[in-house]
Amino acid sequence: MSNPQKKATSLTRKPRRGSALSHRLTRLRSPGDSGYGQGVREEAEAPARNIALDCGWGRLLFTQTFDRYADLLEALREEALDARDIAFHVRDPHVLLAQAPLEIFLDPSHTFRLDLSTYRAGGRRPRGVTIRRLASETDAAGINAVYASCGMIQVREDFFAGERDNRPVTYFVAQDDATGQIIGTVTGIDHQRLFDDPERGASLWCLAVHPQARQPGIGEGLVRTLAEHYQARGIAYVDLSVLHDNEKAIGLYEKLGFRRVPLFAVKRKNAINEKFFAQPVEGYQSLNPYARLIVDEALRRGIHVEVTDAEGGFFRLIHGGRTIHCRESLSDLTSSVAMSICDDKAVTRRFAEATGLSVPQQLSADASADEKRAFLEAHGKLVVKPARGEQGRGISVGISTMDALDAAIRQARQVSDRVLLEACFEGEDLRLVVIDYKLVAAAVRRPPRVVGDGRSPIRKLIEQQSRRRAAATGGESRIPVDAETKRCLAEQQLDLEMILEEGREITVRKAANLHTGGTIHDVTATVHPDLVDAACRVAKAIKIPVVGIDFMVRDPAEPDYVFIEANERPGLANHEPQPTAEAFVDLLFPGSRYPVVR
């Protein structure tokens, strides 16, 4: 990748040899300038001009430091490949856009400002979470993981190593006290340190909270921490840019005292930004996240998209004389025979067993009461599931009594007339996404859990967590309060009206399906090769080019497993940061592949 800062010099002080400041904090020089770009600015010199700050995902161009829009446009044209540069604090966007209407566009975002002279510190802080400054490479990797989970551009690998001494830039992270995982982050830019801002301002960027974080209030805690950090340093205000339709974020900012100001952001027309300036695809907004992820990837490659039934997730892709109809990750390339094999869990199991995979013992729920009792006694715990169905509907896990078995069978029959009983394998639910008979992503799926606050009944905790899961997944993930939920609680001597003590974490359903509130944790880098081989073998046996293979495992890094099922329409949006959509579109249109950039 070319270095977008090839004309750069340090802005704030004379750097140490090899300092990150010498290339991260930059001033772009254009042909008509004089007096700049000739070395490091001393303290007595005039404020630096033409400021562009490399943030790892792109550059922030502070428009108030540019004397001419021509210079700002020249700087925007030096945007690096796969980066997103932002010209911020534009006061007259109509004037700037008129100079290059085919190259740039007005970002559909509002600018909000928090006046720190009237801001009152305090407010709610999230329980079970520590908010602190970035301190290590592990923290940096955690920030990128949060960015990936939120669909944001990740920071390049070499960036954070040099940023800890970058005084104008401050990174805060939110760390889960129980797991040590980074679950939120925010970035602050001190304009006074960066370019001697006479207004003594600062700005907030990249506020992100992992969609699977359990604790409420993380975003508010990060914003308050940054605001109080700058308030203590005499900063006058904090600005931020937020998409006009991000109602949840805008609600938070207004609650904290941010108010809109007439400043704007301008960006280049590139593939990353295409959805903001190109003619929208009719029906796009009604697509679910699984279809939208693929459509976005197709549009980035210049593939024509027609939404044929938004509610059902159907769309048609057209490129180079080739047309393929899809329903999310199910396409014309999957045969009806392969689909019917996956649709019937008993048939899928027989294919897997014939391929040499380890499969659980199984019994039809139509067997006699004595046969079912003997099957239960032999295995101790059972899984009850509809022979046909998806998204975890009707599945009960860990059934250990005949009464519970009969109830679970009745529940499963609401989804399918045929119901299967399987030996319960204790462990974790592993999903392997196989595309073109190669592993693209592997993730452990864990059942929904809630954390007590010492005040709220379990029912309220479930409702709160369900709302967070729905918001994080575009409404795809919710925790049902049904017989399965009540049974899971009863096994722990709990019920919906009990108040859970502060800090205690419990499982509220045993099935780990995303659609019933489960969470997904990427293990692609550590999954055992034997598991990958088994998943690819069964995909080839079914002759299905795109499939999600589910195993139960004790540890994804170990070879032991039991085959559970094959999903002919795996949700590709669940596996960030793995390139599932890219691999899917590569399969459909090999000629549209991006060139590899080293």
Side-chain angles (χ1 to χ4, degrees):
M1 182 181 294
S2 62
N3 183 357
Q5 314 301 344
K6 57 187 177 183
K7 299 181 182 179
T9 59
S10 176
L11 300 177
T12 58
R13 60 180 178 176
K14 191 168 185 176
R16 301 183 301 275
R17 185 178 300 274
S19 168
L21 292 173
S22 64
H23 67 281
R24 301 251 189 254
L25 306 179
T26 65
R27 169 164 54 80
L28 297 178
R29 181 187 175 201
S30 58
D33 291 335
S34 61
Y36 297 103
Q38 299 178 14
V40 177
R41 178 176 60 83
E42 300 296 335
E43 291 296 327
E45 294 182 17
R49 309 302 299 164
N50 295 10
I51 302 300
L53 175 68
D54 185 6
C55 296
W57 42 260
R59 297 173 303 157
L60 288 172
L61 282 65
F62 290 91
T63 306
Q64 64 267 49
T65 69
F66 285 77
D67 295 321
R68 302 186 307 163
Y69 278 153
D71 296 339
L72 181 61
L73 284 171
E74 187 62 30
L76 281 168
R77 290 181 180 122
E78 294 192 2
E79 181 180 67
L81 184 66
D82 294 331
R84 174 185 282 170
D85 290 355
I86 304 173
F88 188 51
H89 262 235
V90 179
R91 294 183 181 274
D92 301 310
H94 54 295
V95 177
L96 177 58
L97 293 173
Q99 297 190 29
L102 299 181
E103 297 181 70
I104 60 175
F105 70 99
L106 180 63
D107 189 57
S109 296
H110 297 318
T111 300
F112 280 79
R113 173 169 293 181
L114 178 65
D115 184 347
L116 293 179
S117 67
T118 59
Y119 170 75
R120 295 294 174 261
R124 183 177 66 172
R125 289 296 192 270
R127 297 172 181 268
V129 175
T130 298
I131 297 177
R132 57 174 176 76
R133 299 277 290 269
L134 176 144
S136 68
E137 291 183 8
T138 301
D139 289 348
I143 289 176
N144 260 346
V146 172
Y147 286 171
S149 71
C150 295
M152 299 163 63
I153 300 174
Q154 297 179 63
V155 174
R156 62 179 184 271
E157 292 180 1
D158 68 330
F159 182 78
F160 281 113
E163 286 304 293
R164 275 173 257 164
D165 295 328
N166 190 342
R167 296 180 69 229
V169 184
T170 300
Y171 299 92
F172 283 103
V173 296
Q175 185 174 30
D176 188 311
D177 292 341
T179 66
Q181 180 185 5
I182 300 301
I183 53 177
T185 180
V186 69
T187 303
I189 310 295
D190 185 333
H191 301 176
Q192 194 170 14
R193 283 182 168 175
L194 183 61
F195 54 84
D196 288 341
D197 180 15
E199 296 183 347
R200 295 183 297 111
S203 52
L204 178 156
W205 299 92
C206 301
L207 175 66
V209 177
H210 199 292
Q212 296 182 168
R214 303 181 307 282
Q215 304 87 339
I218 297 171
E220 178 178 339
L222 285 164
V223 174
R224 285 190 178 278
T225 299
L226 186 68
E228 290 159 23
H229 168 80
Y230 283 138
Q231 189 179 48
R233 283 156 179 75
I235 295 296
Y237 62 80
V238 177
D239 285 351
L240 59 84
S241 182
V242 58
L243 280 173
H244 71 98
D245 57 356
N246 191 345
E247 296 178 359
K248 185 177 180 182
I250 290 173
L252 168 63
Y253 298 139
E254 290 179 337
K255 169 188 171 183
L256 297 180
F258 284 82
R259 297 293 178 261
R260 277 187 62 184
V261 291
L263 298 170
F264 304 92
V266 169
K267 299 176 182 175
R268 287 192 70 225
K269 291 183 176 180
N270 59 24
I272 295 173
N273 296 322
E274 184 172 2
K275 63 183 177 182
F276 297 120
F277 65 82
Q279 183 71 24
V281 174
E282 185 176 356
Y284 173 86
Q285 294 299 331
S286 299
L287 292 171
N288 63 37
Y290 306 108
R292 195 178 298 174
L293 179 80
I294 297 167
V295 167
D296 285 344
E297 178 63 21
L299 291 173
R300 277 194 289 269
R301 301 189 188 199
I303 296 171
H304 181 68
V305 176
E306 295 177 359
V307 177
T308 52
D309 185 87
E311 185 176 350
F314 290 88
F315 54 89
R316 185 177 288 112
L317 304 180
I318 304 168
H319 182 67
R322 180 180 174 91
T323 300
I324 298 181
H325 208 180
C326 303
R327 184 186 185 191
E328 300 164 10
S329 63
L330 179 65
S331 76
D332 290 335
L333 273 61
T334 295
S335 71
S336 58
V337 172
M339 183 174 173
S340 64
I341 292 170
C342 293
D343 181 56
D344 191 319
K345 293 177 175 60
V347 175
T348 315
R349 177 187 176 279
R350 291 198 292 269
F351 265 80
E353 187 175 24
T355 310
L357 271 65
S358 175
V359 298
Q361 292 191 30
Q362 193 176 87
L363 180 71
S364 170
D366 293 331
S368 69
D370 288 343
E371 288 175 308
K372 288 185 286 190
R373 183 176 291 104
F375 192 70
L376 176 60
E377 290 174 355
H379 299 289
K381 291 184 179 181
L382 301 180
V383 176
V384 178
K385 59 186 181 183
R388 286 188 165 89
E390 58 182 3
Q391 299 183 352
R393 289 192 293 265
I395 295 178
S396 299
V397 179
I399 299 296
S400 58
T401 68
M402 283 300 295
D403 287 344
L405 180 59
D406 291 337
I409 291 171
R410 287 194 299 271
Q411 180 175 316
R413 282 198 168 125
Q414 295 176 11
V415 178
S416 172
D417 290 338
R418 290 179 54 231
V419 174
L420 304 173
L421 316 182
E422 284 185 349
C424 185
F425 182 92
E426 296 290 343
E428 293 194 295
D429 188 329
L430 176 68
R431 163 64 62 89
L432 299 107
V433 176
V434 176
I435 299 179
D436 199 16
Y437 307 109
K438 296 183 287 289
L439 180 75
V440 175
V444 168
R445 304 187 295 178
R446 294 182 177 135
R449 299 172 66 83
V450 299
V451 181
D453 60 7
R455 303 185 307 274
S456 304
I458 293 173
R459 183 189 298 276
K460 183 178 179 181
L461 295 174
I462 292 174
E463 290 170 353
Q464 291 173 337
Q465 177 71 350
S466 186
R467 284 196 297 271
R468 288 195 292 272
R469 296 295 299 129
T473 60
E476 293 296 313
S477 180
R478 290 185 174 89
I479 305 174
V481 179
D482 57 13
E484 174 64 10
T485 305
K486 294 173 183 176
R487 185 182 67 81
C488 183
L489 292 174
E491 287 187 359
Q492 303 169 77
Q493 287 77 51
L494 300 170
D495 63 53
L496 291 167
E497 307 312 320
M498 291 179 64
I499 294 176
L500 199 62
E501 55 266 35
E502 183 175 350
R504 182 180 175 186
E505 186 172 11
I506 62 167
T507 299
V508 296
R509 291 178 71 86
K510 291 192 175 181
N513 194 282
L514 175 82
H515 294 273
T516 53
T519 57
I520 296 183
H521 309 267
D522 181 69
V523 294
T524 308
T526 58
V527 66
H528 195 279
D530 287 1
L531 304 182
V532 177
D533 176 69
C536 293
R537 278 193 287 125
V538 73
K540 291 175 182 176
I542 299 172
K543 295 185 179 178
I544 186 167
V546 179
V547 64
I549 303 297
D550 293 343
F551 292 155
M552 287 298 294
V553 300
R554 290 189 175 87
D555 184 335
E558 298 296 331
D560 299 328
Y561 72 93
V562 169
F563 172 84
I564 302 301
E565 64 183 37
N567 189 314
E568 76 279 3
R569 184 163 51 99
L572 302 185
N574 302 331
H575 294 277
E576 294 289 354
Q578 303 308 325
T580 53
E582 291 93 324
F584 180 74
V585 179
D586 284 348
L587 172 69
L588 271 53
F589 300 97
S592 72
R593 286 190 176 101
Y594 292 126
V596 177
V597 179
R598 300 293 184 190

